[in-house]
Structure formats: C-alpha cells, structure tokens
Amino acid sequence: MSIHVEQAIIHAISQNTEGQLSCRLRPQPLLNTQAVETMLDELHQTYTSKAGKGFGHFGIAGDDGEANPAFERALTDYRSGELGFVEFSGLAGKLLQQELAKYDFSQGGFLLLSCYTYMTSDYLFVSLLNAKSSMTVLDDMELSQNTHLDLNNVQLAARIDLTEWQADKGSRKYISFVRGRAGRKVADFFLDFMGCVEGLNTKVQNKSLLTAVEDFVASSELTKDERQQTRERVFDYCSERCDSGADIEIKDLADELAEQGMESFYDFAQGGDYALEDEFPADKPTLRQLKKFSGTGGGVTLSFDGTHLGERVIYDPISDTIMIKGVPANLKDQLDRRLKGE
C-alpha cells in the first residue's frame, strides 16, 4: 500500500564563504508529480524499515532542556488552518537555520517537509537531506557531473504521527526519529529545532518483553520445541508489526499466542514487574534474541540459532565454555588449513 501525498516542499540551507548560514525558501509546494510521489514513497518505506529509531514528543514546561515550542506552535496553526503549508514550512526552515547556526559542524542541506496519509493516519515527514555528486554519460558519450539528493543515506529525519498527536496529548511516542550512528547525541540539534524530547524508550520496552516471554515459557509445561516455537511466534508477530510500521500490542500478541494454545500471556505480562506499556514500537535487533544467541568480545564473535542450544551447542556456565558439535564447513576448512600450515 502506497502513501497519499498531501503537500511537500524543499528549502535549501547553505553556508557562504564566511561560514554564515542562510535559508533559501521555495515560494510554493512541489508539484504533486509522479517523481514526487515516487520519492516520498521510497523515503516512507526506507524510514519505516530503519531499525533502532527513537521516539519522543513535543516538550512542555518543566521538561529538561526547556524545549523550544516554536515548531509545535507553527504546526498547530497549520493544522488549524491559520497558516498555509508554505508559511509553516518557511517558519520551520528558519528555525532549523537558527539551530544550525549554534554549531560549527554543519554546512546545511535540503530541508524536506511532507504531509501525507498512510492507511488511517496523517504524518508529517521532516528530513535534512544531503546532496551527492555522480557522473553520467551523455548521448554524445561525454561525461557530465550531476548533483542529486542522497535518499539512500538518510541520517537526519523525523516523522510525526499527526493523528496520534492530536488525538492523544498524553502520548510520548508520536514523534519518531532516526538515531545517529554514534547514538542519540548526533541528532540533538535536529530534534531541538522541533522542540522534541525523547519519551518512550523502545529498547527497554522490547527487552522487558523478552524477559516476560522467557519467564512465561519457563513457567509453562511446554516441551523444549514448543517453547522455541512460542518464541518464534512472538518474533514473527513483532516483525510483522515492525515491517508495517505498527506498534506491538500486548493484548493482540496475547491473542496470537492463545490461538497456539498459550493462554493468559496478557495477564502474566501485566501482573509481573515488567513495566510494559500496552503498545510500543518494535526493535528488531533486540527481538532477534528470541531466535538467536550472539555475542562479541575479546576478539571472538559467536552466533547461533536458539534451537541448537543444548544439542549442537553445549554451554557450561561453571567452566565458562561452549562446545560446538558439527563445525560449519567453511569454518572447518579454515581451521584445517591453519592447523596444516602450522
């Protein structure tokens, strides 16, 4: 299912030879052409599939850091009809320019704002895109250098669920954002210009879900295979929700497990000390622990499917050792060649 684009616009933030930033505002929205639809649909899919996103909400009085309310006010005026989309986006461009001016590491970029509808929700997508040079061959076989938007490497982006924001003022997760490679700090300035503060910690929620699932199967009378099947069913459900951009719903997950003969997971999860929200976004890297064991340290990296524990992979916590039966063929070949060479 593709998105339905309502409005989209791009503004340019650039740096002059003296290091001063300026914002060149586009006076009208982008024409709703097939190229624009295709670009935004691609960005939507790319953004939705990104793992490890953070979640937050607009700051209010008393929040740490005294979040700037200017972006939220402008967005409120736009949604109420007091501001047009172009005027709202222009205010956003100026706010980002002012925020970037506080730092000496930015050379600007292209600020993209787009309002679109996907399924039953309205969204505002905000991203600072970089330009990338490339070479192309012309009809006369001459080379030409072109500049294009780097859509495959979006590092500064946020998406506001406008429907959730306006329907549930108490929500702490209607704004999602891409975490930088070095963690949350990389994107601080981008969130600050929107007045966004981090709210729900999805990694903590997903880890709590893992603990609840492990405790639940441990308290059951299932066989080893049935326990692993339950873990994989939980992983499949959460993955499906993540891929579609939907939240994990504990009640919905409990109903899924009930169909497999696993009753009362909802009561179990809510009755323990897991501090699980009823709904929260999925974090695939964390949830993958339901199916696989992996770890790195001291120059050793090890990963194996959970079904092998106790069979092909024997762990002895007392001696702090792991024994592997049936070494993978490519690894065995490397080891044999090394032993032969020595």
Side-chain angles (χ1 to χ4, degrees):
M1 182 180 292
S2 60
I3 66 175
H4 174 69
V5 179
E6 299 287 348
Q7 300 268 24
I9 199 167
I10 291 178
H11 302 304
I13 299 177
S14 56
Q15 188 179 60
N16 62 21
T17 55
E18 298 177 353
Q20 295 180 326
L21 291 172
S22 62
C23 183
R24 183 160 57 92
L25 300 176
R26 180 181 169 88
Q28 67 275 333
L30 295 169
L31 295 176
N32 201 5
T33 61
Q34 184 61 46
V36 171
E37 290 271 357
T38 300
M39 178 188 73
L40 290 170
D41 191 56
E42 178 183 335
L43 282 171
H44 168 78
Q45 298 296 336
T46 300
Y47 183 86
T48 299
S49 63
K50 274 187 174 292
K53 289 191 291 289
F55 290 82
H57 55 95
F58 288 124
I60 57 177
D63 278 328
D64 292 341
E66 298 295 327
N68 187 347
F71 185 93
E72 182 185 14
R73 289 173 182 165
L75 182 58
T76 300
D77 290 342
Y78 164 60
R79 294 291 285 178
S80 66
E82 295 182 31
L83 277 180
F85 180 73
V86 173
E87 291 77 14
F88 158 66
S89 70
L91 288 172
K94 290 296 184 182
L95 286 171
L96 180 56
Q97 174 196 338
Q98 293 167 11
E99 190 63 36
L100 283 171
K102 300 175 184 178
Y103 304 88
D104 58 5
F105 58 77
S106 176
Q107 296 180 346
F110 293 93
L111 175 63
L112 168 68
L113 295 101
S114 175
C115 280
Y116 65 83
T117 301
Y118 178 70
M119 297 182 73
T120 59
S121 294
D122 295 331
Y123 294 96
L124 173 67
F125 183 76
V126 186
S127 181
L128 185 63
L129 302 172
N130 292 320
K132 187 176 182 180
S133 296
S134 63
M135 301 297 292
T136 187
V137 179
L138 303 177
D139 291 340
D140 59 2
M141 305 306 288
E142 290 290 341
L143 291 176
S144 175
Q145 186 173 21
N146 296 321
T147 300
H148 65 274
L149 294 176
D150 188 4
L151 302 181
N152 294 323
N153 188 31
V154 178
Q155 294 298 320
L156 294 171
R159 186 170 65 188
I160 303 171
D161 187 329
L162 299 172
T163 301
E164 182 176 346
W165 167 55
Q166 294 183 300
D168 183 5
K169 293 299 183 182
S171 171
R172 297 182 295 132
K173 60 179 179 60
Y174 52 78
I175 303 177
S176 63
F177 56 90
V178 176
R179 292 183 182 275
R181 290 193 180 96
R184 161 78 166 81
K185 295 296 183 182
V186 175
D188 270 357
F189 78 88
F190 191 68
L191 297 182
D192 288 345
F193 111 85
M194 291 190 297
C196 173
V197 294
E198 191 163 8
L200 185 69
N201 190 319
T202 56
K203 191 172 287 292
V204 169
Q205 286 290 301
N206 280 260
K207 286 183 177 179
S208 294
L209 176 60
L210 286 182
T211 302
V213 170
E214 289 298 335
D215 291 349
F216 183 64
V217 298
S219 65
S220 69
E221 297 181 356
L222 299 175
T223 65
K224 178 186 174 183
D225 288 343
E226 289 172 335
R227 291 182 181 185
Q228 189 59 29
Q229 288 170 10
T230 300
R231 296 184 185 101
E232 292 184 3
R233 185 69 201 97
V234 173
F235 178 80
D236 290 343
Y237 165 83
C238 295
S239 293
E240 290 167 5
R241 303 292 288 182
C242 183
D243 292 342
S244 65
D247 289 348
I248 295 171
E249 298 181 25
I250 299 299
K251 185 66 171 67
D252 192 30
L253 173 59
D255 291 342
E256 289 275 338
L257 294 179
E259 292 179 4
Q260 308 298 317
M262 298 289 292
E263 302 289 346
S264 71
F265 176 71
Y266 181 80
D267 293 336
F268 183 90
Q270 297 301 315
D273 296 326
Y274 306 109
L276 283 170
E277 301 281 343
D278 283 338
E279 300 180 19
F280 53 88
D283 181 60
K284 268 192 177 180
T286 301
L287 293 168
R288 205 164 282 123
Q289 297 174 39
L290 286 165
K291 297 185 67 174
K292 299 189 72 171
F293 293 97
S294 62
T296 299
V300 175
T301 297
L302 187 62
S303 176
F304 59 91
D305 290 342
T307 54
H308 294 320
L309 184 63
E311 296 179 359
R312 286 185 61 191
V313 181
I314 310 299
Y315 170 54
D316 184 351
I318 297 176
S319 62
D320 193 27
T321 58
I322 286 179
M323 181 175 67
I324 301 175
K325 298 179 180 179
V327 178
N330 56 350
L331 176 58
K332 178 177 173 57
D333 181 59
Q334 296 173 59
L335 294 172
D336 288 344
R337 282 189 283 112
R338 175 60 62 88
L339 289 176
K340 184 177 179 180
E342 293 179 351

